[in-house]
């Protein structure tokens, strides 16, 4: 059913939207980016947050475009940081309101302060660049519509796939494509953990290492429970199927219950365990979900190592396209943020457009399942929907029962990935 988007009234603005400067024409910017981007005063960048991603963005922009950043807001201005900046501000609203700031780069994350600041920037007609997948995946459709009303642009290449340019590809090069399937491995932390477990590491040690390397979210439950991948899948599905799409509607399982015995059971059959996130057309419905799944070793979804991601797009005209590379970490994510900042300043592209029409409603992903019993494992011949696996009884108890044949208690049930025919 269609969801009505509530677009808030534009709050009082000191700078009317229509007078906000658009001082740089694209031809000037493209001919000499490093100089023309930095000379116009009201053409600056305000950076909100200077953590793993924000500090990467700051270091890159300070080196490549000196003078472009006009303000950096942080929670604690006195904390030592690996960024050469003399005047950290503790008032992020000040940075947003600075008339010399035209592009607001939000690297705080979450749905609280970050959301408020983004709303304020959009209300003031400022271009917004963000890596905030939680926000885009839950409120992106109406935020894009709001931005369209105020003349702002909204860019979030960094929200999905780290350095992989998939958002821009879907919104640009593939804008006319009839997509059948989108998705793959969208969370670097869980891929790092599953890879490490494949190599013999314990789950907790592998996760601690992923946190130390800056791959994991502040609350790593978002990674391991599959929320982060679900957010990214919702964003990709919205772009691919050109319908408003939000993550709470997606079926989801995480990797919290995975053991090394599960990883081993797959390896014995030439399968690798991955956290797969896919949305695909199945007849009249979109089947979608996030789940640990066994993937054949030669399948594109088996390709990512460590914190890498892979995104596969299957479409009527484009056939099968596979994008892979660094999916998490400060440098990878900063690479996409900086690209969005430069695109915004050069007005090269319009930013991500709002999609209208009915919300994308999905049914749970279906796949055969590897059922691991106390002694031995079996793959079901039928595909089962993801939401039936939590409770083996959920309509499939009889299937499991008939497979058990004295093999003992069920230890785990994990889908085995099967491509659509
Ligand atoms: N925690 C995320 C991941 C960071 O591991 O993929 C990149 O979005």
């Amino acid at each position: 059913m269609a969801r009505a988007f509530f677009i808030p009234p534009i709050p009082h603005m000191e700078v009317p939207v229509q007078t906000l400067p658009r001082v740089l024409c694209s031809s000037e910017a493209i001919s000499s980016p490093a100089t023309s981007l930095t000379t116009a005063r009201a053409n600056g960048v305000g950076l909100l947050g200077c953590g793993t991603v924000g500090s990467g963005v700051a270091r890159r922009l300070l080196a490549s475009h000196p003078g472009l950043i006009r303000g950096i807001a942080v929670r604690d201005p006195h904390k030592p940081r690996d960024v050469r900046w003399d005047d950290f501000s503790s008032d992020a609203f000040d940075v947003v309101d600075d008339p010399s700031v035209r592009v607001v780069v939000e690297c705080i994350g979450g749905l609280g302060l970050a959301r408020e600041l983004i709303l304020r920037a959009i209300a003031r007609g400022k271009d917004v660049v963000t890596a905030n997948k939680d926000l885009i995946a839950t409120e992106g459709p109406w935020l894009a519509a709001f931005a369209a009303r105020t003349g702002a642009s909204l860019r979030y290449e960094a929200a999905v796939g780290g350095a992989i340019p998939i958002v821009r590809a879907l919104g640009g090069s593939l804008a006319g494509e009839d997509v059948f399937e989108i998705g793959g491995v969208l969370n670097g932390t869980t891929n790092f953990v599953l890879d490490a477990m494949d190599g013999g590491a314990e789950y907790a040690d592998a996760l601690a290492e992923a946190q130390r390397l800056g791959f994991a979210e502040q609350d790593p439950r978002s990674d391991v429970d599959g929320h982060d991948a679900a957010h990214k899948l919702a964003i990709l599905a919205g772009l691919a199927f050109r319908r408003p799409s939000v993550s709470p509607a997606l079926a989801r399982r995480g990797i919290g219950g995975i053991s090394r015995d599960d990883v081993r059971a797959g390896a014995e059959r030439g399968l690798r365990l991955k956290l797969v996130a896919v949305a695909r057309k199945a007849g009249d419905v979109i089947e979608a979900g996030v789940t640990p799944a066994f993937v054949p070793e030669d399948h594109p979804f088996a390709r990512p190592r460590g914190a890498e991601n892979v995104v596969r797009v299957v479409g009527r005209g484009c056939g099968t396209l596979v994008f892979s590379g660094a999916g998490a970490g400060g440098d990878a994510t900063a690479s996409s943020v900086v690209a969005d900042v430069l695109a915004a300043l050069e007005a090269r592209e319009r930013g991500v457009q709002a999609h209208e029409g009915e919300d994308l409603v999905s049914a749970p992903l279906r796949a055969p399942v590897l059922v691991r019993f106390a002694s031995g494992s079996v793959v079901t011949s039928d595909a089962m929907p993801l939401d039936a696996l939590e409770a083996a009884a959920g309509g499939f108890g009889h299937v499991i029962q008939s497979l058990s044949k004295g093999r003992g208690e069920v230890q785990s049930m994990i889908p085995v990935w099967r491509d659509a025919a």
Side-chain angles (χ1 to χ4, degrees), residues 187 189-190 215-217 219-229 275:
N187 181 267
T189 300
T190 46
F215 300 146
E217 299 300 297
D219 180 352
R221 281 177 300 185
S222 177
D223 297 292
V224 298
D225 291 349
H227 290 290
D228 180 79
L275 186 69

Side-chain angles (χ1 to χ4, degrees), residues 127 172 220 261 266 289 307 336 361:
D127 296 318
D261 289 340
S336 289
V361 179

Side-chain angles (χ1 to χ4, degrees), residues 253 255-263 265 273 294 369-378 389-390 392 400 403-404 406-414:
R253 297 177 89 206
I255 66 161
I258 298 291
S259 69
R260 278 190 11 219
D261 289 340
D262 292 320
V263 178
L273 194 49
F294 289 112
V369 175
L370 189 150
V371 187
R372 190 166 61 78
F373 295 96
S375 58
S377 59
V378 184
L389 301 186
E390 292 307 337
I400 307 302
L403 290 172
S404 125
R407 291 186 173 96
E409 292 282 298
V410 172
Q411 307 294 303
S412 64
M413 295 198 294
I414 299 175

Side-chain angles (χ1 to χ4, degrees), residues 16-51:
V17 168
Q18 62 274 23
T19 62
L20 279 171
R22 283 280 184 268
V23 289
L24 194 66
C25 85
S26 55
S27 56
E28 282 166 349
I30 289 163
S31 61
S32 177
T35 50
S36 57
L37 286 181
T38 51
T39 46
R41 204 182 124 59
N43 208 27
V45 169
L47 178 59
L48 312 178
C50 204

Side-chain angles (χ1 to χ4, degrees), residues 181-248:
E181 180 197 295
I182 180 92
V185 173
L186 306 181
N187 181 267
T189 300
T190 46
N191 198 66
F192 181 93
V193 169
L194 292 172
D195 244 18
M197 287 172 77
D198 200 15
E202 293 295 341
Y203 173 90
D205 296 339
L207 181 57
E209 181 65 357
Q211 288 178 278
R212 194 186 66 76
L213 293 169
F215 300 146
E217 299 300 297
Q218 258 171 14
D219 180 352
R221 281 177 300 185
S222 177
D223 297 292
V224 298
D225 291 349
H227 290 290
D228 180 79
H231 291 331
K232 291 165 177 169
L233 180 61
I235 294 172
L236 291 183
L239 292 165
F241 300 118
R242 292 184 277 283
R243 304 248 296 272
S245 163
V246 291
S247 53

